[in-house]
Structure formats: C-alpha cells, structure tokens
Amino acid sequence: MPAADRPRTVLLTGAAGGMGTLMRDLLPAHGYALRPHDIRPVAGAPDAFVSDLADLGAVREAVRGVDAIVHLGGISVEAPFEEILRANIQGAYHLYEAARLEGIRRVVFASSNHAVGFTPRPVGDAPLIPVDTPHRPDTLYGLSKSFGEDLAQFYWDRHGVETVSIRIGSCIPEPTSVRMLSVWLSPADGARLLHAALIAEDVGHTVVYGSSANTRLWWDLAPARALGYAPRDDSEPYAAKLIAAEGELSPDNPDHAHLGGHFCTNPPVWPH
Ligand code: 15L
C-alpha cells in the first residue's frame, strides 16, 4: 500500500489485555497512533475509550474517525456461553456494524488457533496445517473465533469491509510450555504481523496463522508471509529448558494430541 494511503490512527480493542498491552508498546514504532479501547480502564492510557462491546452506540463512538481497527477485545479463554455470547459474538458483531456505519474499511481480527483446535497436530514429516483446514473449535471460546472469521467473510462479501483474521498462537514474551515451542508468536513478530495485516493491499477476507518462525512450527505461515509478514523470531532457544522440565510431546498424552493442546481437554477458564 502506498505510504500515503496507509492507516495511521488505529483503534486497538482489548488494549488492557495481555496482547493489547504488548502491542501498545510495540505498534507505535510501526507508525501508528493508537486509540486504546477496553471494557476496563487501560493503565497508562487515561485517554482510552472505556466501554462495553455489547453497547453498539459506544462502539460507534470508539471507531469514529479511525483509519483501521485491530480487534483484540473480548474473552481470550473459555467462559460460560452467556459471557462468550456477549463479549465475543455480540461484541464482534457490534464492532463490524460500527465499522460499516462509520465507513472503516480495514479490520484486523484476532482469531485464534482454537478455532481449529481439534485439528490433530502434525507429527514427524506430516505437512503443516493449511489455513483452509475445516473449523474444529475446541471450546466455546474457539467457537466464537470461528464465528468471528465467518462474520469477517460476511462483512467483506456483503459490505466491502476488509479483514485479515489472524489465528494467533501464544503471544507472550517467552514460551512457557513445550506446546508453545510450536505456536509461540513473539511480541515483536506479533507487531510485525499486525502491521503487515494493516498495510497489505486487497486482502478481502484473508485468514492467516500467527506465530513466529518456530523450528517446531505446526501450521503454514505462507499466507501470512504473502501479506508481507517476515517473522524474525524462533522459540528454539527455549526448547532445551522446557523439554528438560516437561519432556517431549507424547502421543500418549491427550493434551498433546491436537493443535489446541490442553484447551481440548481442560481449558483455562475466565477470569484467569
Ligand atoms: C489463545 O487463543 C488464548 O487467547 C491465549 O490465552 C493462549 O492460551 C493461546 O490461545 C494458546 O493457544 O496458547
């Protein structure tokens, strides 16, 4: 995208959350003026928009005048259906309605690997998991991310709002489990990927996986690279310590059978 057309003012929902906090630090260096949004006050951002995604009027106010939206907001682990419905399903719908009504043309949607969490993890020489693998949500949370991807497709087909849906792995400063060696997205690569998703041209609705260039990668990063994403990090330096503590992934451990890991067996619940 020509520099003059690139988005500059970006609404960042979920700005008080784990990834939101990391991205508030890292995205401005890519040229963005962020407008933070969350349901809770955002530490260090007294000017943040604080409102509930269940309130369409407030979401419209939050999106008004921005060039693009990065939607990290909502519940990020398992929760009762009523809570997922309000924060993630109705919340995402309101976000897209607000974008349509306010003329915002680009959304980057934080989908999750848990939209396809029951996909068996590749073992040995098995091919990487492609982005067009069928949805196999591992939780109500994952189901809400499958819905979000369909919502994004609908708003592109029906209303011309473009989206990059990123099936994010684990975006935290360091991997903390052997599974995360495969699905880790370093915060710096997370910011690189969001930036690529914000400035790539003609994305329509594009689904990509979001992880670093991990040696033990499970999924195909080619669609993300096609947007211009060039990951620089790899979890491998953390491998020896994590494997010494936990052992290698085992075919006998049900927590190791699928992409979603323990979300398939014993998901963490909200609030956590
Ligand atoms: C997610 O989608 C969650 O939001 C995050 O809390 C992590 O648990 C991550 O997936 C993961 O798969 O590790």
Side-chain angles (χ1 to χ4, degrees):
M1 187 182 283
D5 298 340
R6 291 181 176 186
R8 177 162 159 67
T9 307
V10 172
L11 180 75
L12 180 73
T13 71
M19 185 167 176
T21 302
L22 293 164
M23 294 306 112
R24 277 199 295 130
D25 278 350
L26 294 166
L27 274 178
H30 291 276
Y32 300 104
L34 296 179
R35 180 185 291 177
H37 175 278
D38 207 288
I39 195 169
R40 317 170 258 171
V42 182
D47 55 339
F49 279 64
V50 178
S51 67
D52 190 340
L53 292 170
D55 177 349
L56 176 58
V59 181
R60 271 192 81 166
E61 261 179 56
V63 310
R64 192 164 297 143
V66 298
D67 301 322
I69 299 169
V70 173
H71 182 43
L72 307 180
I75 293 172
S76 57
V77 287
E78 187 58 314
F81 181 70
E82 291 67 25
E83 292 176 36
I84 293 282
L85 179 63
R86 182 182 173 97
N88 290 20
I89 296 178
Q90 189 182 35
Y93 168 68
H94 283 169
L95 202 278
Y96 274 92
E97 255 318 82
R100 179 183 74 80
L101 291 164
E102 298 295 333
I104 318 301
R105 312 308 297 170
R106 175 69 58 96
V107 177
V108 179
F109 171 59
S111 183
S112 168
N113 72 94
H114 299 291
V116 293
F118 265 114
T119 307
R121 75 173 166 95
V123 178
D125 290 339
L128 297 173
I129 306 299
V131 285
D132 61 358
T133 198
H135 282 162
R136 296 183 73 172
D138 55 26
T139 41
L140 297 171
Y141 162 66
L143 190 61
S144 74
K145 295 300 182 180
S146 299
F147 170 81
E149 290 184 11
D150 276 354
L151 187 69
Q153 186 66 50
F154 169 67
Y155 269 81
W156 166 240
D157 288 334
R158 182 74 178 83
H159 299 299
V161 177
E162 289 194 297
T163 296
V164 177
S165 291
I166 306 176
R167 291 184 187 149
I168 299 169
S170 311
C171 188
I172 56 176
E174 290 185 8
T176 57
S177 70
V178 174
R179 168 180 172 269
M180 282 189 200
L181 295 173
S182 299
V183 303
W184 183 56
L185 175 65
S186 75
D189 280 344
R192 287 181 192 109
L193 180 49
L194 292 178
H195 177 49
L198 283 164
I199 65 168
E201 288 190 88
D202 301 327
V203 296
H205 175 227
T206 298
V207 180
V208 303
Y209 289 106
S211 69
S212 288
N214 301 318
T215 300
R216 295 160 199 255
L217 191 66
W218 285 342
W219 45 60
D220 184 8
L221 287 184
R225 289 181 187 277
L227 294 178
Y229 172 54
R232 294 197 197 153
D233 295 318
D234 181 346
S235 61
E236 205 53 20
Y238 302 95
K241 190 172 159 209
L242 290 167
I243 291 167
E246 268 182 46
E248 293 275 6
L249 297 179
S250 159
D252 302 326
N253 185 338
D255 284 353
H256 298 170
H258 302 102
L259 297 189
H262 62 292
F263 276 62
C264 298
T265 51
N266 185 24
V269 285
W270 183 267
H272 70 127

